[in-house]
Amino acid sequence: MPQPVIYTHQLTRKFGDFVAVDAITFEVQPGEIFGFLGANGAGKTTAMRILCGLLSPTSGQANVAGFDVYRQNEEIKKQIGYMSQKFSLYENLTVRENIQFFGGIYGLSRQELKDKTNVLIDRLGLHNEANKLVGALPLGWKQKISFSVAILHRPKIVFLDEPTGGVDPITRRQFWDMIYEAAHDGITVFVTTHYMDEAEYCDRVSIMVDGAIAALDTPAGLKKQFNATNMDEVFLQLARGAKRGD
Amino acid sequence: MATVHVENIKKTYDKGSVLALDNVSFDVKSGELFGLIGPDGAGKTSLFRILTTLLLPDGGHAQVAGLDVVNDLWKIRRIVGYMPGKFSLYQDLSIEENLQFFATVFNTTVEKNYHLIEDIYVQIEPFKKRLAGKLSGGMKQKLALCCALIHEPKVLFLDEPTTGVDPVSRKEFWDMLDRLKTRGITIVVSTPYMDEASRCDRIALIQKGKILELDTLTKIIGRHAQNLYAVNADNRYQLMHDLRKPAEIESSFAFGEEQHVTLRTPENGENYLIDYLTQTGHSDITVRKIDPTIEDVFIKLMLENQ
């Protein structure tokens, strides 16, 4: 068994009396597509912020890409990529400028930046749009560019926070093709989504309820365990029992 | 008579260079729960803003409850409720202050129309002194719906009320809309979630400013019967790749745990797929002929309109 790329043990985060993340224990293996599900307010965002090195836990252990979340959070930030619908690209920079800006932040050299920018524009078929402002592009393209930028520095893990919200059904699937390719190249994918069909595309899925991990297995295993025909039913069964509102 | 009548509405931005609505026409019947279903950028918000008199169309006509959206704007504003996609209540007022504010603006009181909002409001009432800016997403959504309802509108326009909301809360929200419908309020709601189509009386599928289809869910699906197969095998990644290769395969898209596949030559599709996948070395192959979902139909229409 290889070393897990994410490891948590009894990881807990409190805000005053409120236990946002309640003693979660799980591991994610390298190259895995790990779906991190839960209702609004279940504690996903808090857990994800801890794993990205942005927030310290109250107690418990967590290790990301071999680094400790308490002491080595700056190291963690160098090993990961992050993308969400809320924060993606600078609308008033061009596609090319965005790629170079984020690549620069992630520490790529001038030559690497030049090469990777051209490869990326080529792969996304964006020759005609490369010098256009990102703000003028459709959401689906922005999301694809944003994902590509998040893995430009070949991170060990990429965190995707509801990456496909609102995009059309074809683009949503093209986006998942990109996720599969990244995972195939060895990048671990940690993804949240409200589309339950997308949960089926994950290797394993955890479902958070009231700060705790209520279930964790492969999609097939979860469906069997909850006697459900699809992930939507699994999710409804678990999340309906939630005590804390969003 | 139609409660909402839209006729050849056109809207462009940036001096005509961006076409947001391309001669859109449809009617919403009185008391109907009508869904506009389409992705971000389809033109849903532009349409809502025109129908709520907040934006002028470049061309075409539209009426709400028989009133013209350009000439009768003040009358329309009194009889419609609008919940914009972006949270637009006063962040520095509390829950109850926001509600009272909207009631007062419409020259009514919370008490008078409390029956309309009761089953939604009781869920957020324990927090009524909390500032709207401090509420969670689900609570904001419920407060916004209460504020859009407090003047007893004839027509309710809800722009993507469930975007970014988890499946349980989405279901609860649609249950609330069902109850409002029984009170005779006409509801026009937009959503990017295709599965919510089944909660509407009729739907319009909208993409790039054009209506692709408009009818009941059952009729739309019936019109787009196709030779569709649900395919699975042990190695999903390899399966996705292999299903893209042969010329016989028209389209292949991931749908949950399966791939949905259409073929150019409809005969013996099942045999063809099993043979092809066996030859390419797959195991645990399953192929079923299936009826399309609304998302299959949307994808088909998108490909046809490309």
Side-chain angles (χ1 to χ4, degrees), chain B residues 33-207:
Chain B
L33 177 49
F34 187 88
L36 271 170
I37 298 186
D40 192 273
K44 306 188 299 290
T45 300
S46 296
L47 189 56
F48 275 112
R49 292 180 61 82
I50 289 169
L51 293 175
T52 52
T53 77
L54 300 172
L55 189 69
L56 290 171
D58 294 358
H61 300 278
Q63 279 119 39
V64 176
L67 301 164
D68 185 86
V69 292
V70 178
N71 299 319
D72 304 320
L73 76 158
W74 295 109
K75 286 180 188 159
I76 288 184
R77 288 181 186 189
R78 258 175 244 145
I79 59 152
V80 302
Y82 175 43
M83 183 172 159
K86 190 167 175 279
F87 184 69
S88 307
L89 301 180
Y90 292 95
Q91 311 258 2
D92 50 357
L93 294 184
S94 68
I95 286 184
E96 65 176 354
E97 285 166 344
N98 264 295
L99 193 59
Q100 275 163 6
F101 174 81
F102 280 92
T104 311
V105 163
F106 284 102
N107 208 10
T108 182
T109 60
V110 174
E111 293 70 31
K112 182 165 174 277
N113 290 319
Y114 188 73
H115 63 281
L116 274 175
I117 61 163
E118 185 172 6
D119 65 345
I120 307 161
Y121 191 66
V122 291
Q123 300 172 51
I124 52 172
E125 201 170 15
F127 314 97
K128 65 184 178 188
K129 301 282 181 203
R130 196 178 288 181
L131 298 186
K134 302 268 182 212
L135 299 175
S136 69
M139 283 165 68
K140 280 181 180 166
Q141 179 204 44
K142 283 173 185 137
L143 176 60
L145 183 58
C146 289
C147 291
L149 276 171
I150 199 60
H151 60 297
E152 202 178 3
K154 286 203 175 77
V155 189
L156 192 56
F157 291 98
L158 309 172
D159 193 6
E160 296 205 21
T162 56
T163 291
V165 175
D166 70 70
V168 176
S169 310
R170 286 207 279 136
K171 197 182 167 302
E172 285 171 2
F173 193 84
W174 281 95
D175 292 343
M176 287 190 272
L177 297 189
D178 280 343
R179 289 194 290 274
L180 286 175
K181 218 189 92 171
T182 62
R183 297 182 183 274
I185 298 175
T186 305
I187 303 171
V188 185
V189 56
S190 71
T191 177
Y193 294 102
M194 306 274 149
D195 58 340
E196 294 181 347
S198 65
R199 304 297 301 254
C200 305
D201 295 324
R202 284 191 309 145
I203 51 172
L205 301 180
I206 183 167
Q207 158 86 351

Side-chain angles (χ1 to χ4, degrees), chain A residues 3-13 21-29 32 34 36 43-44 46-53 55-70 76 157 159 190 204 206 208 211-216:
Chain A
Q3 190 87 0
V5 69
I6 297 175
Y7 163 85
T8 76
H9 182 72
Q10 300 286 320
L11 185 69
T12 301
R13 172 70 206 206
V21 175
D22 191 1
I24 60 173
T25 298
F26 68 97
E27 289 177 3
V28 180
Q29 302 303 326
E32 201 173 15
F34 191 85
F36 197 60
K44 298 191 301 290
T46 305
M48 203 141 143
R49 290 188 65 200
I50 294 172
L51 298 176
C52 290
L55 184 72
S56 259
T58 309
S59 61
Q61 297 164 26
N63 209 283
V64 177
F67 295 102
D68 181 78
V69 294
Y70 290 95
I76 290 175
I157 310 161
F159 289 90
F190 190 94
R204 286 190 307 144
S206 73
M208 273 185 96
I213 289 184
L216 195 169

